[in-house]
């Protein structure tokens, strides 16, 4: 366990953030908090990919004349970063969509609390 | 033309969506015309693709001329063109029907509504066409975002249901993405064919196993597999009826496609199965879902909610077929994707007709006046209901037949018992409605008021009902020409 | 016998489809009853002629077949008019003509509502029945078997009263479950043997299924067809379904539907399992046990019914099990008797139901205890009733005697004397529950209560003529088993083919 933590510490941290987000999305009664948790959750995933791309001692993936193109190991992997650019866009859209829905709910029921909403929707 | 095969369907949907705001300016009904034209055109392309692939084999297209595994690849293989046809047919039927319901329920901006619908369809087409794991995630989210908009367009109650779906749907998609991350870490590739080849070399390592589990779990949420199904009944019940009719038949089917793709193309073979038991779990959850959905459908008083629970059950059939993993099981699963899409679409179209005609979807209010006022819709409903129960020669019987054969091959008696039990439960909740519809008193003279666009409302449902009979009689041809190549691989 | 010389022809398809195709015509001519009934007659006539055209080949032991297309890979939608199929089709389509005449008298005499739906469903039911008769494999059989369930549902529910709804629900529950069990069994057979085609002498080879599996499979199939054949304890839908109009009870619940169940038993015994496998596994004993018990129990219950249609229903249950028991005995004589009883019982029981309907419509009486003295007002009706009763009790010269004679011979042949006892005892019980009705009608003075509505004269000729025709037929077939239709010769040929197919080795 300790060995796995020292070797994969960053992954464990990322996993922790992920759990916090998941917990918030499923357990919080307030819908705005759910959206916040959703953002945390997605941030954790972005972290996950970025960590995966990281290499000890490697530099940014911009062509460097001193290193040259042959020693690819000297650059970190750029692909996960680009993927995450897309994922961020998706995340923003999701949050935007969620907030739009929340505005609609708030206008209709005057509340964003799950318990109160359940009561109002029954009547 | 044929080397670009995977593109046109995708482009048609997204292109039509782009035109929407412009069409909205031209005329009140122009968006509807564009949407219908787009879906019909896409259907034509999809059909061409189906025939082409059946005749000449699969077509791969590298986007931007970047060769895989570095670039994104679109693939038209037997399974994906088959799904495109299902998608386009259901889309065309629902969109043709949607003119009156949309004017009635989301009167404000039909252009935006149709734009969302087409973006969702484009997303689905993208999921089906792509050969790249991350690209699939992006299309998954595009389709999902558009479907939240469609499902939430019916006042605050539907917004609540859509929001809950958004939370669960995002969790599902994110789990899938985490799984892709693990696969990428281990294999360094995102191309499905490439990843498969690498997995065959490196074998089953821990990250691949974890990644596979995350991906399957994530898709299972979208697939509404028990126990991840809670979002579905609320979302389908509260949504505008035309949205439900569009999302319900194909949303879960596209997720089913992804599952089949994962199990068939990405993680095939017994080694992964013996370590992770993914197929086993899918099969058993499917069986439980069949029973649970069917039982929950019985006491429902709202037709849409009843149909939604029935979807939970029907999705179970597909999972059961994937879980069997044999040729017959997979044939059953793929055929049921098509059959159930047509049945559910037909049933939801009828429920939408009920709402549009101002009759409501409370089962307790149904009586024989329904059959008099809406004879075509009622007949279509009856055929689709018989197909859901699985009476020959309707289409529904045959997917069950293949699943039965698959269960026998594997000696899965529990699955066989499940299929029988669910058919009986289906009979209970559908005959309850048919009895009201055809025999439930209501002897007052017919209300012969003319609804605008009545033909537009009834024709798609009737066409699908006829289609169900044709699918039933033609299933042997369909299976041997189109579905068997999917199952047997290239 | 090697593979039958088989010819291809569309006749079986025409025979099935003709009544299905007139359904739209019937529905569209709902406002003009005479035209509507004209369609029914046309269909019935064409159908009967088609079946007659198939007869010569069947008499030669050949079958006329047509495979349309594949229902599922490996299983075609195949129609085979083999001798047994033609036999059943002959009974069903012939009696449909008579019943159509009767229906007109009954429905109009009774002022029933929704006659259009009635005649349309009736025509569809007959299509399904002929489909069952001509089904060349188990899947096709199931297809038409389920269609029959659906087509008869509107007929059972015809009155739309709460009682009718209850009965119809019960009917559906039984019939759909039965259909599902058949599907399950068919899937199992197909998964193991790769074929579902009916073949004289059976299609299941030794060793494909283990002994235990064979028993389960047999129970599945027999339960599946046994529901429609009313084998106890699967019978309770049949008395409940008597809520349907009498023509339905007459043709469907005495001939078409229940006989398709009995016919299914013959198919299962003779064409799926085959006598050799049946006796080798002791399956015949299971079937014989249920059938024998049903014969006696149903007769005893019939004794206690006061409602005539209910009594007839229980009598039907008993007589259907004659067919099942005959099949279970496996001896050639018993099989012959079993097949003969298929037609004999049909002709007799339809007569009795026609009488019950005539009494109901004309005298407005359905309870036996109120029949006192009715025979004097309605001599033709009760005369026909008496002939039918004699036949069902097995008394010559009515045709019930002949089938029973062969059944008894078969019991002796197979060495199961207990079956002989069952048949004889059942004959006595039949007499005990039918003869009092005749005696009451002819020899007891009319009730004081009946005086309020005295019954004068016969029912309408539309109803009396058919029942006289069927009663006459019962006597004619009793005297000349091969005239005007060669039922006996057909039955002998069928049994020969089953026996020959079942024991290819000379030892058999």
């Amino acid at each position: 366990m300790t060995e796995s933590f020292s070797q994969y510490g960053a992954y464990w941290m990322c996993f922790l953030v992920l759990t916090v987000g998941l917990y918030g999305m499923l357990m919080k009664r307030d819908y705005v908090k759910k959206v916040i948790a959703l953002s945390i959750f997605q941030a954790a995933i972005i972290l996950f990919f970025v960590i995966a791309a990281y290499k000890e001692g490697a530099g940014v993936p911009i062509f460097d004349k001193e290193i040259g193109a042959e020693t690819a190991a000297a650059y970190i992997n750029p692909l996960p970063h680009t993927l995450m650019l897309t994922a961020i866009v998706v995340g923003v859209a999701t949050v935007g969509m969620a907030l739009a829905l929340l505005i609609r709910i708030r206008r209709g029921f005057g509340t964003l609390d799950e318990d109160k909403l359940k009561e109002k929707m029954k009547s | 033309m044929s080397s670009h095969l995977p593109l046109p369907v995708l482009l048609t949907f997204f292109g039509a969506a782009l035109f929407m705001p412009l069409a909205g300016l031209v005329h009140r009904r122009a968006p509807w015309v564009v949407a219908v034209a787009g879906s019909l055109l896409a259907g034509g392309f999809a059909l061409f693709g189906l025939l082409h692939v059946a005749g000449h084999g699969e077509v791969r297209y590298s986007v931007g001329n970047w060769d895989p595994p570095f670039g994104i690849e679109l693939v038209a293989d037997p399974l994906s063109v088959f799904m495109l046809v299902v998608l386009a047919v259901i889309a065309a039927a629902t969109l043709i029907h949607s003119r009156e319901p949309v004017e009635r329920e989301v009167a404000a901006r039909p252009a935006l509504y149709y734009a969302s619908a087409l973006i969702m369809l484009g997303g689905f087409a993208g999921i089906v066409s792509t050969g790249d794991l991350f690209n699939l995630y992006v299309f998954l989210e595009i389709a999902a975002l558009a479907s939240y908009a469609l499902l939430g367009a019916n006042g605050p109650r539907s917004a609540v249901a859509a929001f809950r779906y958004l939370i669960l749907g995002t969790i599902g998609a994110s789990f899938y993405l985490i799984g892709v991350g693990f696969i990428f870490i281990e294999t360094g590739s995102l191309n499905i064919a490439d990843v498969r080849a690498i997995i065959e070399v490196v074998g089953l390592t821990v990250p691949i196993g974890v990644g596979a589990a995350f991906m399957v779990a994530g898709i299972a949420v979208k697939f509404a597999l028990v126990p991840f199904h809670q979002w579905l009944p609320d979302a389908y019940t509260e949504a505008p009826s035309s949205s439900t009719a569009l999302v319900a038949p194909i949303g879960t089917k596209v997720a089913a496609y992804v599952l089949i793709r994962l199990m068939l193309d990405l993680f095939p073979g017994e080694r992964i199965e013996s370590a992770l038991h993914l197929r086993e779990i899918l099969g058993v959850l499917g069986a439980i879902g069949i029973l649970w959905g069917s039982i929950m459908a019985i006491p429902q008083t709202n037709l849409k909610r009843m149909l939604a629970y029935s979807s939970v059950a029907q999705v179970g059939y597909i999972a059961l077929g994937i879980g069997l993993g044999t040729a017959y099981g997979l044939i059953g699963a793929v055929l049921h994707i098509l059959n159930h899409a047509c049945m559910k679409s037909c049933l939801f179209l009828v429920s939408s007709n009920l709402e549009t005609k101002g009759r409501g979807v409370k089962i307790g209010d149904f009586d024989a006046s329904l059959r008099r006022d809406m004879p075509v819709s009622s007949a279509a409903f009856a055929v689709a209901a018989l197909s859901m129960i699985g009476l020959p020669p309707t289409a529904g019987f045959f997917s069950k037949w293949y699943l039965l054969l698959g269960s026998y091959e594997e000696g899965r008696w529990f699955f066989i018992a499940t299929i029988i039990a669910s058919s009986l439960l289906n009979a209970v909740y559908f005959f309850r409605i048919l009895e009201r519809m055809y025999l439930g008193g209501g002897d007052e003279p017919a209300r012969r008021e003319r609804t605008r666009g009545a033909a537009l409302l009834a024709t798609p449902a009737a066409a699908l009902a006829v289609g169900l009979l044709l699918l039933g009689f033609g299933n042997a041809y369909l299976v041997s020409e189109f579905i068997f190549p999917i199952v047997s691989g290239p | 016998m090697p593979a039958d010389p088989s010819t291809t022809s569309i006749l079986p398809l025409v025979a099935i489809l003709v009544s299905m195709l007139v359904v739209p015509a019937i529905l569209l001519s709902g406002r003009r009853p005479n035209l509507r009934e004209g369609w029914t007659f046309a269909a019935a006539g064409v159908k009967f002629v088609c079946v007659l055209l198939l007869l010569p080949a069947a008499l030669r032991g050949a079958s006329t077949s047509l495979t349309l297309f594949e229902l599922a890979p490996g299983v075609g939608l195949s129609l085979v008019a083999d001798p047994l199929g033609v036999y059943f089709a002959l009974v069903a389509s012939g009696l449909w003509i008579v019943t159509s005449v009767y229906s007109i008298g009954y429905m109009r005499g009774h002022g029933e509502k929704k006659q259009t739906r009635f005649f349309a469903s009736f025509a569809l039911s007959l299509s399904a029945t002929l489909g069952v008769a001509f089904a060349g494999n188990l899947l096709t059989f199931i297809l038409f078997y389920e269609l029959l369930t659906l087509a008869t549902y509107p007929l059972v529910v015809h009155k739309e009263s709460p009682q009718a709804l209850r009965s119809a629900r019960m009917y559906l529950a039984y019939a759909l479950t039965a259909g599902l069990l058949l599907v399950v069994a068919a899937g199992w057979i197909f998964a193991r043997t790769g074929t579902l085609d009916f073949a004289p002498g059976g299609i299941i080879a030794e060793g494909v299924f283990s002994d235990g599996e064979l028993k389960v499979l047999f129970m599945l199939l027999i339960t599946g067809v046994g529901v429609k054949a009313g084998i106890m304890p699967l019978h309770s839908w049949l008395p409940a379904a008597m809520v349907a109009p009498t023509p339905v009870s007459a043709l469907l619940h005495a001939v078409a539907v229940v006989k398709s169940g009995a016919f299914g038993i013959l198919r299962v015994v003779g064409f799926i399992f085959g006598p050799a496998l049946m006796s080798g596994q002791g399956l015949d004993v299971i079937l014989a046990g249920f059938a024998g018990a049903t014969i006696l129990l149903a007769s005893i219950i019939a004794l206690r019914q006061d409602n005539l249609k209910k009594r007839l229903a229980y009598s039907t249950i008993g007589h259907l099990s004659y067919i099942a028991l005959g099949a279970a005995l496996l001896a050639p004589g018993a099989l012959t008797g079993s097949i003969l009883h298929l037609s004999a019982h049909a002709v007799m029981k339809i007569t009795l139901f026609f009488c019950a309907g005539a009494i109901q419509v004309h005298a407005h009486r359905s309870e036996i205890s109120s029949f006192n003295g009715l025979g004097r007002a309605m001599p033709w009706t009760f005369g026909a009733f008496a002939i039918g009763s004699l036949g069902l009790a097995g008394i010559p010269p009515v045709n019930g005697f002949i089938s029973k004679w062969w059944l008894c011979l078969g019991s002796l042949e197979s060495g199961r004397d207990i079956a002989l006892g069952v048949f004889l005892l059942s004959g006595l019980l039949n007499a005990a529950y039918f003869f009092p009705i005749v005696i009451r009608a002819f020899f007891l003075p009319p009730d004081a209560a009946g005086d309020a509505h005295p019954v004068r004269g016969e029912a309408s000729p539309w109803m009396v003529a058919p029942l006289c025709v069927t009663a006459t037929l019962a006597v004619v077939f009793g005297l000349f088993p091969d005239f005007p239709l060669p039922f006996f010769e057909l039955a002998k040929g069928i049994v020969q083919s089953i026996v020959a197919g079942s024991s290819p080795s000379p030892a058999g």
Side-chain angles (χ1 to χ4, degrees), chain C residues 93-116:
Chain C
S93 63
L95 290 177
W96 187 31
I97 301 178
V98 190
T99 311
S100 300
V101 179
Y102 182 83
S103 301
I104 294 169
Y106 181 90
M107 298 304 278
R108 294 188 183 177
H110 220 221
E112 291 271 2
K113 282 194 255 175
K114 314 222 163 163
Q115 295 192 14
T116 305

Side-chain angles (χ1 to χ4, degrees), chain C residues 104-138:
Chain C
I104 294 169
Y106 181 90
M107 298 304 278
R108 294 188 183 177
H110 220 221
E112 291 271 2
K113 282 194 255 175
K114 314 222 163 163
Q115 295 192 14
T116 305
R117 182 176 77 190
F118 172 87
F119 282 105
S121 304
F122 219 116
L124 196 58
S125 305
L126 260 293
S127 275
T129 308
L130 282 217
V132 166
F134 291 154
N137 58 43
L138 193 52

Side-chain angles (χ1 to χ4, degrees), chain B residues 198-209:
Chain B
I198 294 172
I199 290 179
E200 271 167 15
V201 176
V202 299
L204 175 67
T205 59
V206 173
I208 290 177

